[in-house]
Protein backbone atom coordinates (compact mmCIF):
# COMPACT_ATOMS: atom_id res chain seq x y z
CA UNK A 1 0.00 0.00 0.00
CA UNK A 2 2.84 2.39 0.89
CA UNK A 3 4.68 1.73 -2.39
CA UNK A 4 1.47 2.26 -4.38
CA UNK A 5 0.83 5.51 -2.52
CA UNK A 6 4.37 6.71 -3.16
CA UNK A 7 4.06 5.85 -6.85
CA UNK A 8 0.78 7.77 -7.16
CA UNK A 9 2.29 10.74 -5.33
CA UNK A 10 5.27 10.79 -7.71
CA UNK A 11 2.90 10.68 -10.72
CA UNK A 12 0.80 13.55 -9.34
CA UNK A 13 3.93 15.59 -8.55
CA UNK A 14 5.27 15.02 -12.09
CA UNK A 15 1.96 16.14 -13.59
CA UNK A 16 1.98 19.25 -11.41
CA UNK A 17 5.60 20.07 -12.28
CA UNK A 18 5.01 19.67 -16.03
CA UNK A 19 1.85 21.80 -15.76
CA UNK A 20 3.70 24.52 -13.84
CA UNK A 21 6.50 24.58 -16.41
CA UNK A 22 4.08 24.82 -19.32
CA UNK A 23 2.14 27.60 -17.54
CA UNK A 24 5.34 29.53 -16.82
CA UNK A 25 4.73 29.18 -13.08
CA UNK A 26 7.66 26.92 -12.16
CA UNK A 27 10.21 29.02 -10.33
CA UNK A 28 13.81 27.87 -10.24
CA UNK A 29 16.22 29.09 -7.57
CA UNK A 30 19.75 29.05 -8.98
CA UNK A 31 22.54 28.68 -6.44
CA UNK A 32 26.11 27.40 -6.63
CA UNK A 33 26.61 23.73 -5.71
CA UNK A 34 29.17 21.00 -6.32
CA UNK A 35 27.91 18.93 -9.23
CA UNK A 36 30.02 15.96 -8.13
CA UNK A 37 28.16 15.71 -4.81
CA UNK A 38 24.75 16.03 -6.48
CA UNK A 39 25.63 13.33 -9.03
CA UNK A 40 26.77 10.91 -6.30
CA UNK A 41 23.54 11.50 -4.39
CA UNK A 42 21.47 10.75 -7.50
CA UNK A 43 23.54 7.65 -8.28
CA UNK A 44 22.96 6.44 -4.73
CA UNK A 45 19.22 6.94 -5.10
CA UNK A 46 19.15 5.00 -8.37
CA UNK A 47 21.47 2.18 -7.27
CA UNK A 48 18.73 -0.03 -5.70
CA UNK A 49 16.75 0.11 -8.96
CA UNK A 50 19.86 -0.72 -10.99
CA UNK A 51 20.79 -3.59 -8.69
CA UNK A 52 17.26 -4.99 -8.81
CA UNK A 53 17.45 -5.03 -12.62
CA UNK A 54 21.07 -6.27 -12.56
CA UNK A 55 22.22 -3.21 -14.49
CA UNK A 56 25.67 -1.71 -13.87
CA UNK A 57 25.25 1.97 -12.92
CA UNK A 58 28.26 4.30 -12.84
CA UNK A 59 28.80 8.03 -12.45
CA UNK A 60 31.89 9.79 -13.74
CA UNK A 61 31.67 13.36 -12.49
CA UNK A 62 35.03 14.70 -11.38
CA UNK A 63 35.30 17.20 -8.55
CA UNK A 64 37.31 19.39 -10.96
CA UNK A 65 34.03 20.18 -12.78
CA UNK A 66 33.50 22.60 -9.90
CA UNK A 67 30.40 24.48 -8.95
CA UNK A 68 27.38 24.75 -11.17
CA UNK A 69 24.97 27.65 -10.64
CA UNK A 70 21.53 26.16 -11.11
CA UNK A 71 18.49 24.99 -9.19
CA UNK A 72 20.02 21.98 -7.42
CA UNK A 73 16.69 20.17 -6.96
CA UNK A 74 15.87 20.61 -10.65
CA UNK A 75 19.30 19.39 -11.82
CA UNK A 76 19.04 16.37 -9.53
CA UNK A 77 15.54 15.69 -10.91
CA UNK A 78 16.99 15.77 -14.44
CA UNK A 79 19.70 13.25 -13.54
CA UNK A 80 17.29 10.98 -11.63
CA UNK A 81 14.72 10.95 -14.44
CA UNK A 82 17.32 10.24 -17.11
CA UNK A 83 19.06 7.49 -15.10
CA UNK A 84 15.70 5.96 -14.18
CA UNK A 85 14.65 5.81 -17.86
CA UNK A 86 18.01 4.38 -18.88
CA UNK A 87 17.83 1.67 -16.20
CA UNK A 88 14.21 0.87 -17.10
CA UNK A 89 15.06 0.27 -20.76
CA UNK A 90 18.35 -1.57 -20.23
CA UNK A 91 18.23 -5.36 -19.83
CA UNK A 92 20.04 -7.29 -17.10
CA UNK A 93 23.79 -7.23 -17.62
CA UNK A 94 23.61 -3.85 -19.36
CA UNK A 95 25.24 -0.57 -18.40
CA UNK A 96 24.03 2.92 -17.57
CA UNK A 97 26.54 5.73 -17.23
CA UNK A 98 26.37 9.35 -16.08
CA UNK A 99 29.17 11.63 -17.28
CA UNK A 100 29.81 15.35 -16.96
CA UNK A 101 32.14 17.36 -19.16
CA UNK A 102 32.88 21.05 -18.93
CA UNK A 103 33.23 22.96 -22.20
CA UNK A 104 34.33 26.44 -21.15
CA UNK A 105 31.26 28.20 -19.75
CA UNK A 106 28.95 25.24 -20.50
CA UNK A 107 28.39 21.95 -18.71
CA UNK A 108 27.40 18.82 -20.58
CA UNK A 109 25.60 16.08 -18.61
CA UNK A 110 25.47 12.79 -20.48
CA UNK A 111 23.37 9.76 -19.54
CA UNK A 112 24.04 6.79 -21.79
CA UNK A 113 22.98 3.17 -21.84
CA UNK A 114 23.31 0.09 -23.99
CA UNK A 115 19.62 -0.75 -23.69
CA UNK A 116 16.86 -1.34 -26.21
CA UNK A 117 17.22 2.00 -28.01
CA UNK A 118 14.66 4.11 -29.84
CA UNK A 119 13.86 4.34 -33.54
CA UNK A 120 14.28 7.62 -35.45
CA UNK A 121 10.52 8.05 -35.94
CA UNK A 122 9.87 7.65 -32.20
CA UNK A 123 12.72 10.02 -31.20
CA UNK A 124 10.85 13.01 -32.64
CA UNK A 125 7.88 12.42 -30.30
CA UNK A 126 9.87 11.99 -27.09
CA UNK A 127 9.77 14.78 -24.54
CA UNK A 128 6.12 15.63 -25.13
CA UNK A 129 3.88 15.18 -22.05
CA UNK A 130 2.35 11.69 -21.76
CA UNK A 131 4.11 10.44 -24.89
CA UNK A 132 5.48 6.93 -24.58
CA UNK A 133 7.06 4.86 -27.30
CA UNK A 134 4.81 1.84 -27.65
CA UNK A 135 5.85 -1.17 -29.65
CA UNK A 136 6.36 -4.90 -29.09
CA UNK A 137 9.64 -4.26 -27.23
CA UNK A 138 8.55 -1.36 -24.97
CA UNK A 139 5.05 -2.59 -24.12
CA UNK A 140 6.39 -4.48 -21.08
CA UNK A 141 7.63 -1.27 -19.38
CA UNK A 142 5.40 0.89 -17.20
CA UNK A 143 5.49 4.66 -17.03
CA UNK A 144 3.51 7.85 -17.49
CA UNK A 145 5.45 9.49 -20.30
CA UNK A 146 6.22 12.51 -18.12
CA UNK A 147 9.88 11.98 -17.22
CA UNK A 148 11.48 13.30 -20.40
CA UNK A 149 8.91 16.07 -20.69
CA UNK A 150 9.83 17.25 -17.21
CA UNK A 151 13.56 17.06 -17.99
CA UNK A 152 13.04 19.00 -21.23
CA UNK A 153 11.13 21.72 -19.38
CA UNK A 154 13.70 22.00 -16.59
CA UNK A 155 16.52 22.23 -19.13
CA UNK A 156 14.65 25.02 -20.94
CA UNK A 157 14.17 26.93 -17.65
CA UNK A 158 17.94 26.81 -17.18
CA UNK A 159 18.48 28.13 -20.73
CA UNK A 160 20.03 24.82 -21.67
CA UNK A 161 19.69 22.35 -24.50
CA UNK A 162 18.81 18.66 -24.66
CA UNK A 163 19.63 16.18 -27.43
CA UNK A 164 18.84 12.47 -27.69
CA UNK A 165 20.75 9.99 -29.85
CA UNK A 166 19.58 6.41 -30.11
CA UNK A 167 19.37 3.33 -32.26
CA UNK A 168 17.25 0.21 -31.71
CA UNK A 169 19.30 -2.51 -30.06
CA UNK A 170 22.27 -0.21 -29.46
CA UNK A 171 21.13 2.06 -26.64
CA UNK A 172 20.42 5.72 -25.99
CA UNK A 173 22.47 8.77 -25.09
CA UNK A 174 20.85 11.92 -23.70
CA UNK A 175 22.97 15.07 -23.60
CA UNK A 176 22.01 18.11 -21.55
CA UNK A 177 24.00 21.30 -21.89
CA UNK A 178 23.65 23.98 -19.18
CA UNK A 179 25.38 27.30 -18.58
CA UNK A 180 27.88 26.90 -15.70
CA UNK A 181 27.10 30.41 -14.40
CA UNK A 182 23.35 29.79 -14.38
CA UNK A 183 20.52 31.20 -16.46
CA UNK A 184 20.46 34.95 -17.10
Amino acid sequence: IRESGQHLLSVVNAILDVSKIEAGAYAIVPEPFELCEAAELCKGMMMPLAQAKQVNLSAHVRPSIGELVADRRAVQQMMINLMSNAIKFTPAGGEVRLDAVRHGSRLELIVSDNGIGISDEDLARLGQPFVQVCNDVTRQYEGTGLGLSLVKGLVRLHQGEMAIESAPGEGTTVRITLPMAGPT
Side-chain angles (χ1 to χ4, degrees), residues 114-174:
N114 60 353
I116 64 173
I118 306 163
S119 68
D120 285 341
E121 54 271 12
D122 288 328
L123 270 178
R125 298 182 311 128
L126 285 181
Q128 298 172 20
F130 302 106
V131 169
Q132 292 178 288
V133 174
C134 292
N135 58 39
D136 291 339
V137 177
T138 62
R139 193 169 294 136
Q140 64 182 314
Y141 302 101
E142 292 185 24
T144 59
L146 290 171
L148 278 178
S149 177
L150 181 56
V151 170
K152 188 176 178 181
L154 293 172
V155 168
R156 191 173 57 245
L157 286 174
H158 283 86
Q159 298 173 339
E161 299 167 2
M162 182 172 96
I164 305 172
E165 302 164 8
S166 190
E170 294 181 25
T172 302
T173 299
V174 180

Side-chain angles (χ1 to χ4, degrees), residues 3-164:
E3 286 179 19
S4 294
Q6 287 174 336
H7 173 70
L8 288 175
L9 180 61
S10 71
V11 169
V12 169
N13 284 334
I15 291 170
L16 291 173
D17 285 345
V18 169
S19 297
K20 285 180 192 174
I21 290 170
E22 289 187 355
Y26 191 105
I28 60 170
V29 182
E31 61 183 354
F33 66 93
E34 292 291 332
L35 183 67
C36 182
E37 293 172 9
E40 283 301 316
L41 175 74
C42 294
K43 176 187 163 198
M45 291 174 66
M46 291 291 97
M47 193 57 77
L49 178 62
Q51 290 172 337
K53 282 213 56 195
Q54 299 176 351
V55 169
N56 181 32
L57 175 63
S58 62
H60 305 272
V61 181
R62 295 195 168 126
S64 61
I65 290 286
E67 287 188 336
L68 171 67
V69 177
D71 186 304
R72 182 181 179 126
R73 186 183 75 84
V75 171
Q76 288 178 173
Q77 188 68 54
M78 291 178 215
M79 289 189 283
I80 289 167
N81 284 15
L82 293 177
M83 285 190 283
S84 176
N85 272 357
I87 293 166
K88 183 191 312 186
F89 294 108
T90 300
E95 294 185 35
V96 172
R97 181 178 169 121
L98 169 66
D99 290 285
V101 181
R102 187 171 179 165
H103 302 283
S105 65
R106 309 283 288 172
L107 168 75
E108 185 177 37
L109 285 173
I110 307 156
V111 176
S112 57
D113 66 64
N114 60 353
I116 64 173
I118 306 163
S119 68
D120 285 341
E121 54 271 12
D122 288 328
L123 270 178
R125 298 182 311 128
L126 285 181
Q128 298 172 20
F130 302 106
V131 169
Q132 292 178 288
V133 174
C134 292
N135 58 39
D136 291 339
V137 177
T138 62
R139 193 169 294 136
Q140 64 182 314
Y141 302 101
E142 292 185 24
T144 59
L146 290 171
L148 278 178
S149 177
L150 181 56
V151 170
K152 188 176 178 181
L154 293 172
V155 168
R156 191 173 57 245
L157 286 174
H158 283 86
Q159 298 173 339
E161 299 167 2
M162 182 172 96
I164 305 172

